[in-house]
Amino acid sequence: MLPTGYATDFVADSSLFHAMFRFVRRAQQRWPGLHVDGEPLPPEALGDWYLPEPGEDGRPSAVTFSPSRPGEAAAEGAGRGPGAAGQGTCAVFYRAHREPLGEVRYAVSVVTPADPDTDPFSRDVVRDFLEAFEGSRPGAVRHA
């Protein structure tokens, strides 16, 4: 299930792939039962996780994150808004864009259950995404 909600849009350079690894590590700290794309991702499996290259067809690729099994998350309202714990399913959509000089940039949307300006959980997810770029070169990510 792809979540619906509020999209916060960014443009990122190729450091997106390393930043997403750090973002997933943060998600595991937040949710010990983290599921990525509907499958459990135990801490010992994180070393093998990587963000897949986006498809060549121009359509966005997506990675979903939930605090528990997808069925449990859906029962708590994830994908439609924060659940009983104030958290919900979120996703990162991304698509490659080739710049005129050959550099590749990525259009990225972080989809959270609610507006990060008013919802603490959504604000934390967007903050974690941005902080995952710390240590990257300046300008690695910016709001679109």
Side-chain angles (χ1 to χ4, degrees), residues 37-114:
D37 290 334
E39 298 294 326
L41 184 67
E44 62 272 11
L46 178 60
D48 294 330
W49 187 87
Y50 62 93
L51 181 68
E53 288 286 335
E56 296 286 327
D57 58 4
R59 295 186 334 191
S61 297
V63 179
T64 61
F65 304 93
S66 61
S68 59
R69 286 192 349 249
E72 291 174 6
E76 291 182 10
R80 295 180 299 279
Q87 300 181 1
T89 300
C90 56
V92 175
F93 291 82
Y94 57 105
R95 175 179 38 216
H97 289 281
R98 190 160 302 279
E99 298 286 311
L101 296 177
E103 185 177 0
V104 177
R105 295 272 181 191
Y106 298 89
V108 181
S109 292
V110 178
V111 178
T112 54

Side-chain angles (χ1 to χ4, degrees), residues 2-59:
L2 290 177
T4 58
Y6 191 90
T8 304
D9 298 324
F10 300 95
V11 175
D13 67 9
S14 62
S15 61
L16 171 68
F17 295 88
H18 294 293
M20 283 299 295
F21 180 83
R22 291 188 292 271
F23 178 75
V24 171
R25 185 175 31 209
R26 287 173 178 258
Q28 280 187 323
Q29 293 168 351
R30 177 186 313 278
W31 297 326
L34 176 67
H35 280 61
V36 176
D37 290 334
E39 298 294 326
L41 184 67
E44 62 272 11
L46 178 60
D48 294 330
W49 187 87
Y50 62 93
L51 181 68
E53 288 286 335
E56 296 286 327
D57 58 4
R59 295 186 334 191

